Amino acid sequence: MHIPDGFLSVAVSVFLWIVSIVVVGYALKRVGKDLGERQVPMMGVLAAAIFAGQMLNFAVAGGTSGHLMGAALASILLGPWAAVLVLTSVVSIQALIFQDGGLLALGANIFNMGIVGVAVAYMAYHTLRKLAGGRKWGLYLGGFIAAWLSIEVAALSVALQLALSNTSPANLAIPAMAGVHALIGVGEGLITVGALAFLSTARRDLVEAGEAGPIKGSLVWVAGLLIALVLAIASPLASARPDGLERIAGQLGFLDAARSSRSQIIPDYAFPGVSNTALATILAGMIGVLIVFGVALAVGYARRSVRRSERRSERRDHQVSSK
Amino acid sequence: MHIHFLDPYRSGDSLIHRLDPRVKFVLALAFILTCALTPAGAWPVYVLLFATILAIEILSTLGVGYVLKRAILAFPFVLAALPIIFTTPGAVWLELGIGSWELTISLPGLVRFLSIALKSWLSVQAAIVLAASTPFPELLVAMRAVRIPRLLVAIFGLMWRYLFVLADEALRLNRARAARSGNSGQPGIKAGGDLAWRARVTGGMAGNLFLRAFERSDRIYLAMVSRGYDGEVRSLPLPAITSANWLVLLAGLVILGVLLSLSFLFGS
C-alpha cells in the first residue's frame, strides 16, 4: 500500500503533504500537552515494534501471507494522537531508509496509513465498545472491525489518489484495491483480535488505558466517521462514473495546466536565434548532455586528485616513519 | 512487502559520503521533485536525469549494480499503472485480440505508462543513494535542518535505535512458534491448525511483541531519567555548512533547474 514516487501527480502529492503536516503538527502539540514525558521513548519503541511486527506473518494460501500494518492496534492501545505519530514514524522510516514508498509521495502515505487508518480505526473501535457496554465481545468485534476498516478505507484512499493523479483508471483501480484489501483486512483483523485477546489477559490495564479519554477523542471520532463515509460514497461513484473524477483531476491538476502553458511559452524565447523548433530541441538536448557529463567529469577528476593527494601524503607519512 | 531489516548504509570514503548530509538530503528531494515535474514523454530529459544519477552512483563507489538491484524492489507497484495503457484515449498503437477480448493499446497511454515507470525508477535510485551513503544519525541532522519538529526527530531516532532489537525479538518469536508447531517433512501432515488458529497465534505473538516493547520503553525511560532527562529533547547546535558544500548545493540545484526547463521543451 506504500505508493512509490512517480505515481502521484505533483498537485495531489503537495496537497496531501500539507494535510499531513497540519495533522501531524497538531498531533505533536496534543501529545506534548496531554501525555507525560514518558511518551517519547514509548512512541519510539512502539514504532519500532510495529515495524518489526511485520515480520510476524502467517501463511494464508498459495504462498501469500498476512501481516500487520498496526494502525488499529496502535490507535486502540495508545489513543489516536500518539498513534498518528507512531504510524508517521513507521511510514517515514520505511520510505527514507528502506524505499518502501517514495519521498515525494510520503505525505500521501502518511495520510493514508497514519491519518485515515488511525481515525477510521478509532471511530469503529469506540463505537463498538460503546454499543457492547463493557462486554467482552465489544473488544473483539471492535478490534476486528477497526482493523478491517483501517485497511479497506486506506486502500480506497490510495486508489482514489491514483485515479486523481491520472495514473490508474478509477473504474479498475478502485474495485481491484477494494477487493484485494478486503481479504488482507481479514488477516489484519484476525491478528489484531489475537493481540487484543493476549493483552487483555496479560495486561488488562494497557487495553483499558486506551479508552480513558473518549471525550478527548471526539474530534477524531467525527473525522474518522467523515473519512469513512466520504470514501465509501466517493469510491463507487468514482468507479461507476470516471468522467466526473477526471473533471476533478483536471481542476486539481492546476500545476499540470500551468506547466503545459509554460511549455508553449518557452520555445518562443529559449533560443531566440533559432527559429526551427526541431533544431532548437536538438541544441537544447546537446547542451544538456554536455552540462551533465561536464559536471560528472569535473567531479570525477576532483575526486581523483583528492585521492592522489591523499595517497601522496600517506606515502610521505610512510617515508617519515621509515626514516 | 519486502522485509529487509539490514541497515542499508554502506560505509565508504567517496565524495558523496563526505558531502554534508543536509546538502545530500535537499538534493535528493530536489532530484525526486524534478522527476515528478518532468512531463510525460520527455525522453531526452529522462536520459539526462539517468546520466546524472548514474554519475552520482559511480562517484559514490556504492556500486552501480547494488543501486540498480535495490531499485528493482520498488517495481511491483508499476502494475497499478498498467491499465492506463488500455484506457487512455488516443491514437491506437497496437490491437490485441485474445479470443473474443479486444484490447487496444493507445500511444498516449503507452507513453504515460513508460514515463511513470521511468520516473519512479529514477526517483528510487536517488533515495537509495541517499540512504546508502548517509549514516542514520546524519540523516537526523538533515531532518532537523529542514525544520522537522524536534519531538518527531527524537521519536525517529529512538525508533531506529530499537528497530533492530525488536526485529530480533520478532525473529525469536517466529523461531519459538516454528519449534512448537513444527513443520512435518511428510506431505499431507499440516503444520499447526486452521487459518483462524494460525491468525490467532500470530496475533498473540504481535501482542507479546507489543508488551515487550512497552516494558522495554519503561526501562529506557527510567534509564533516561537517571541520566537527567526532564522531558525536553536537547540536541547539539547544527554545525555550519562549509562553502564547498554550499557550492555543491547550488550547482546541483542549477543542474536540476536546467534539466527541468529542458523537459518543458521536449515534453508533449
Side-chain angles (χ1 to χ4, degrees):
Chain A
M1 214 190 287
H2 299 64
I3 308 172
D5 279 324
F7 288 84
L8 291 181
S9 73
V10 175
V12 172
S13 318
V14 169
F15 175 73
L16 290 173
W17 256 120
I18 294 170
V19 173
S20 296
I21 288 171
V22 169
V23 175
V24 171
Y26 185 70
L28 278 169
K29 219 181 209 173
R30 286 296 297 260
V31 168
K33 203 166 60 184
D34 296 349
L35 309 161
E37 55 192 42
R38 198 175 276 260
Q39 290 294 320
V40 174
M42 191 199 257
M43 283 189 291
V45 179
L46 284 182
I50 286 196
F51 196 168
Q54 296 179 353
M55 293 169 89
L56 306 172
N57 51 10
F58 65 100
V60 176
T64 59
S65 61
H67 69 76
L68 199 66
M69 175 173 99
L73 200 52
S75 92
I76 290 168
L77 294 176
L78 300 174
W81 298 113
V84 166
L85 294 185
V86 165
L87 264 290
T88 299
S89 309
V90 172
V91 174
S92 305
I93 297 299
Q94 282 173 337
L96 194 61
I97 307 296
F98 299 105
Q99 286 83 47
D100 245 341
L103 292 179
L104 193 61
L106 180 56
N109 287 327
I110 291 176
F111 178 79
N112 295 332
M113 279 171 273
I115 297 170
V116 169
V118 166
V120 168
Y122 182 85
M123 183 273 296
Y125 179 72
H126 284 276
T127 310
L128 277 156
R129 288 292 323 244
K130 273 268 167 58
L131 285 178
R135 268 161 295 177
K136 200 96 184 173
W137 62 266
L139 176 70
Y140 297 137
L141 192 65
F144 183 84
I145 302 273
W148 187 83
L149 265 184
S150 73
I151 297 280
E152 183 70 7
V153 177
L156 287 180
S157 175
V158 170
L160 267 177
Q161 285 153 20
L162 288 176
L164 274 175
S165 303
N166 203 5
T167 299
S168 249
N171 53 353
L172 280 172
I174 291 172
M177 286 293 275
V180 170
H181 285 88
L183 286 177
I184 294 178
V186 171
E188 175 92 6
L190 289 173
I191 298 182
T192 305
V193 170
L196 286 175
F198 170 81
L199 285 171
S200 73
T201 314
R203 284 282 301 269
R204 266 205 89 72
D205 54 318
L206 287 180
V207 183
E208 306 289 308
E211 61 198 74
I215 304 141
K216 264 192 239 165
S218 56
L219 172 67
V220 187
W221 192 88
V222 173
L225 189 66
L226 276 181
I227 292 171
L229 279 179
V230 165
L231 282 169
I233 294 166
S235 309
L237 272 183
S239 59
R241 303 187 55 189
D243 319 353
L245 199 68
E246 255 164 43
R247 213 169 47 236
I248 302 172
Q251 282 160 359
L252 258 183
F254 56 91
L255 272 176
D256 295 307
R259 196 162 60 211
S260 63
S261 66
R262 215 181 313 149
S263 69
Q264 285 158 3
I265 297 166
I266 285 174
D268 289 341
Y269 57 84
F271 292 93
V274 187
S275 54
N276 188 329
T277 31
L279 194 63
T281 313
I282 294 168
L283 258 181
M286 279 167 59
I287 291 169
V289 171
L290 281 179
I291 289 173
V292 170
F293 283 108
V295 169
L297 271 182
V299 179
Y301 273 119
R303 174 170 153 245
R304 222 169 63 180
S305 63
V306 166
R307 270 283 156 83
R308 207 179 297 150
S309 67
E310 273 170 5
R311 227 174 286 142
R312 211 176 297 143
S313 67
E314 263 167 36
R315 217 176 299 145
R316 210 177 305 132
D317 292 347
H318 193 69
Q319 281 166 354
V320 169
S321 61
S322 65
K323 271 176 200 167
Chain B
M1 191 175 298
H2 302 275
I3 309 294
H4 30 87
F5 271 106
L6 295 175
D7 187 350
Y9 173 67
R10 301 186 127 198
S11 64
D13 190 32
S14 73
L15 264 183
I16 305 294
H17 281 84
R18 279 197 304 258
L19 206 59
D20 191 288
R22 290 162 283 182
V23 172
K24 243 189 288 189
F25 189 71
V26 170
L27 282 179
L29 288 180
F31 183 87
I32 291 168
L33 189 64
T34 308
C35 289
L37 282 170
T38 305
W43 311 117
V45 178
Y46 295 154
V47 173
L48 292 174
L49 282 168
F50 180 56
T52 315
I53 194 72
L54 198 63
I56 290 166
E57 281 159 21
I58 293 167
L59 273 179
S60 69
T61 62
L62 292 168
V64 177
Y66 167 78
V67 176
L68 294 184
K69 217 187 288 163
R70 263 191 87 100
I72 294 173
L73 287 180
F75 237 61
F77 206 85
V78 165
L79 272 182
L82 197 62
I84 56 167
I85 312 185
F86 308 109
T87 57
T88 311
V92 173
W93 182 69
L94 188 69
E95 268 188 66
L96 292 174
I98 307 164
S100 58
W101 251 34
E102 281 279 327
L103 280 176
T104 51
I105 298 179
S106 77
L107 195 59
L110 192 67
V111 166
R112 207 173 148 66
F113 172 73
L114 286 178
S115 303
I116 287 172
L118 271 175
K119 282 172 168 191
S120 168
W121 186 61
L122 289 170
S123 305
V124 79
Q125 288 184 47
I128 291 168
V129 171
L130 176 69
S133 71
T134 320
F136 191 76
E138 289 191 11
L139 280 176
L140 290 180
V141 168
M143 285 190 247
R144 272 175 55 209
V146 296
R147 300 282 182 275
I148 293 176
R150 244 174 218 203
L151 185 58
L152 203 56
V153 175
I155 296 174
F156 284 175
L158 274 160
M159 175 189 169
W160 179 255
R161 209 170 298 165
Y162 291 98
L163 177 58
F164 303 101
V165 176
L166 285 163
D168 270 350
E169 294 269 17
L171 274 180
R172 270 199 289 278
L173 287 166
N174 267 338
R175 203 179 303 130
R177 176 181 59 178
R180 282 162 185 75
S181 54
N183 282 311
S184 170
Q186 278 174 300
I189 299 181
K190 263 200 337 195
D194 57 5
L195 188 66
W197 184 87
R198 290 202 296 271
R200 214 194 64 225
V201 168
T202 313
M205 287 157 72
N208 206 339
L209 187 67
F210 252 71
L211 201 51
R212 290 184 193 188
F214 265 116
E215 281 162 3
R216 189 178 286 277
S217 81
D218 270 350
R219 290 212 308 274
I220 294 164
Y221 170 71
L222 292 178
M224 284 162 79
V225 169
S226 75
R227 287 166 184 74
Y229 177 66
D230 59 358
E232 183 73 21
V233 180
R234 293 187 183 78
S235 35
L236 291 172
L238 297 172
I241 299 177
T242 60
S243 50
N245 276 305
W246 276 118
L247 215 64
V248 172
L249 180 64
L250 194 70
L253 291 180
V254 166
I255 292 171
L256 290 173
V258 168
L259 287 178
L260 194 58
S261 30
L262 277 178
S263 75
F264 295 132
L265 274 179
F266 289 116
S268 50

